[in-house]
Amino acid sequence: MKKEIFIGMLVGLIANAVGLILTATLLGRGDDFTTVIKAAAAEGFLGKLISLGAVLNLISFFIFIRRKEDYRARGVLLVTVFIAVFTFLFKML
């Protein structure tokens, strides 16, 4: 059970990272990833960029639910909640 939750968390982190890279690439207008992240941090919308990156977690969550892999889906959900709390705290500071 713990292994399945860990696998789900790992998938959630990877999906979020890939989503963040895709979002930064699409919204970056041709700039490289680090430039987009630095500009987002300077302009105050890095939290929104991270939240948009978490959209891929939704896809992986529903894939795990459809395949009846509930513990992996729980791991993805845990990572998504962690990202939401992190984004909220980042926005408040």
Side-chain angles (χ1 to χ4, degrees):
M1 178 175 86
K2 290 181 182 180
K3 178 184 171 186
E4 295 296 315
I5 292 174
F6 178 74
I7 290 171
M9 291 175 72
L10 189 63
V11 168
L13 285 173
I14 291 170
N16 194 35
V18 169
L20 177 63
I21 292 169
L22 284 174
T23 304
T25 302
L26 292 174
L27 298 177
R29 298 186 203 123
D31 294 334
D32 64 336
F33 178 72
T34 55
T35 305
V36 172
I37 296 298
K38 288 178 184 176
E43 295 176 18
F45 66 90
L46 183 60
K48 294 176 185 176
L49 200 62
I50 293 170
S51 296
L52 281 173
V55 170
L56 287 183
N57 285 354
L58 184 68
I59 296 168
S60 60
F61 176 77
F62 282 115
I63 288 172
F64 286 143
I65 291 293
R66 180 172 293 236
R67 294 166 73 189
K68 307 273 191 245
E69 296 175 346
D70 294 337
Y71 289 111
R72 289 185 182 189
R74 187 179 296 177
V76 172
L77 186 63
L78 286 172
V79 168
T80 305
V81 168
F82 174 75
I83 294 296
V85 169
F86 172 76
T87 304
F88 176 74
L89 292 175
F90 185 75
K91 184 77 171 174
M92 288 298 159
L93 298 175

